Amino acid sequence: MKLVIAIVQDKDANNLRTKFVEANIRSTRLSTTGGFLKSGNTTYMIGVEDDRVDEVLALINETSRTRQQFMTPPVNLDAQMDSTSGYPVEVQVGGATVFVMPVDSFHQF
């Protein structure tokens, strides 16, 4: 058995949940915040048999897409201002960060 922890952008979370339900994959959904954009994320914790890990990873991969987004970098008052300070820059966001870990035991009460 494995524990899959998947961190996805909020924009992809509902679609991924639907895919998990259709595939009969049980998951726990947590609201999280992180990254340098401090944007909303959703973390899924999934306990799954070893032979279904690839299926779970495939669903996450096909659902969690990267996208471009504009953000304004924070102003550093200690540094000299240059011509790009305070102007929006385009960054890549989204996708998924996934951890797969072995589980020694699993209990449901």
Side-chain angles (χ1 to χ4, degrees), residues 8-105:
V8 300
Q9 196 172 36
D10 279 345
K11 292 179 181 179
D12 299 322
N14 287 333
N15 192 20
L16 183 57
R17 182 187 60 199
T18 300
K19 297 284 186 184
F20 285 157
V21 170
E22 290 171 356
N24 198 27
I25 296 170
R26 299 172 73 184
S27 64
T28 298
R29 180 178 172 163
L30 306 168
S31 294
T32 55
T33 303
F36 70 97
L37 295 178
K38 296 183 177 37
S39 60
N41 295 319
T42 297
T43 300
Y44 284 100
M45 295 180 7
I46 306 127
V48 66
E49 297 298 329
D50 290 356
D51 60 345
R52 294 195 74 192
V53 170
D54 289 337
E55 177 186 358
V56 170
L57 294 176
L59 290 173
I60 295 167
N61 184 46
E62 72 185 40
T63 306
S64 304
R65 293 286 157 221
T66 58
R67 56 188 64 82
Q68 298 301 114
Q69 177 177 319
F70 283 96
M71 60 125 357
T72 304
V75 176
N76 183 353
L77 298 177
D78 294 334
Q80 289 185 346
M81 299 291 279
D82 63 12
S83 61
T84 60
S85 295
Y87 291 101
V89 294
E90 192 172 26
V91 295
Q92 183 175 318
V93 297
T97 301
V98 181
F99 302 90
V100 179
M101 297 172 281
V103 174
D104 292 332
S105 65

